[in-house]
Amino acid sequence: MTDRTLAVISAGLGQPSSSRLLADRLADATTASLPAEVITIELRDHAHDLASNLVTGFAPESLRRAIDAVTGADGVIAVTPIFNASYSGLFKTFFDVLDKEALEGKSVLIGATGGTARHSLALDFAVRPMLAYLRAQVVPTAVYAATEDWASPGDLTDRVAQAAGELAAAIDARPQAVREDPYADPVTSFEDLLAG
């Protein structure tokens, strides 16, 4: 049993998707180095709720649980498909609805999938700057998987292991995340009540 948690965000649109496959590989490699409870969030399941949150300012319950899982995790793996040389709209929308301090100082591993290796730079020119703006601590190695990487995964396996090792070390070096129940009633001590 472990007290560490790892939130895995997959923005793949298909079912199954190559983004989810990469996210699972990254999670497995990370937890091989640092045991943690893995909470996987498929953003496609929250697409309507994300749109609703954007127009109303309120997250429906299932989306709220996903947001809480990410903000309360010790580390995050975030994987998006690359469309038109950038992250998907669904991926960006999820990060748009997070509180601006939600990822501050949190260890994050980024990954992406796409049809061709030409889009691999999107990780460093689109995904990494977005997370840096949110003050997340993104590990140095990002993992991009093009279609051809799945056919001969040797190099991909090495990159996954490198990035997962960096994330595990980053999580291990930080104090454990404090997880509070946002729905719990605050408890006031009897002494504080008497003090007024």
Side-chain angles (χ1 to χ4, degrees):
M1 190 89 176
T2 178
D3 291 331
R4 298 283 190 177
T5 58
L6 180 63
V8 179
I9 303 166
S10 172
L13 299 179
Q15 200 170 26
S17 72
S18 58
S19 294
R20 173 63 189 267
L21 181 59
L22 178 59
D24 289 344
R25 285 193 183 188
L26 291 167
D28 290 345
T30 302
T31 57
S33 298
L34 180 75
E37 175 189 357
V38 176
I39 302 165
T40 302
I41 299 153
E42 286 269 13
L43 294 185
R44 68 185 305 279
D45 296 338
H46 300 284
H48 293 286
D49 288 346
L50 284 165
S52 178
N53 191 161
L54 286 178
V55 296
T56 66
F58 296 99
E61 182 61 30
S62 64
L63 177 58
R64 173 53 45 204
R65 284 193 304 270
I67 291 169
D68 290 345
V70 171
T71 58
D74 293 290
V76 175
I77 294 172
V79 181
T80 180
I82 299 299
F83 300 129
N84 299 320
S86 189
Y87 39 68
S88 73
L90 187 61
F91 186 79
K92 177 68 164 69
T93 301
F94 180 76
F95 289 98
D96 285 345
V97 303
L98 294 179
D99 290 334
K100 62 183 179 181
E101 297 89 12
L103 297 179
E104 187 170 350
K106 195 171 297 291
S107 301
V108 179
L109 189 166
I110 56 175
T113 58
T116 174
R118 290 180 307 153
H119 295 299
S120 63
L121 290 177
L123 279 165
D124 289 319
F125 287 104
V127 181
R128 190 179 298 274
M130 179 188 71
L131 289 165
Y133 175 79
L134 295 171
R135 296 188 295 271
Q137 299 298 314
V138 182
V139 299
T141 303
V143 180
Y144 180 83
T147 302
E148 61 265 18
D149 288 321
W150 301 108
S152 56
D155 181 48
L156 177 61
T157 301
D158 293 343
R159 286 181 281 137
V160 165
Q162 174 70 31
E166 291 171 3
L167 180 61
I171 293 170
D172 197 38
R174 297 184 56 79
Q176 196 166 335
V178 176
R179 283 176 265 300
E180 296 178 15
D181 183 354
Y183 305 106
D185 291 330
V187 177
T188 305
S189 72
F190 188 69
E191 187 176 310
D192 290 339
L193 288 171
L194 288 175

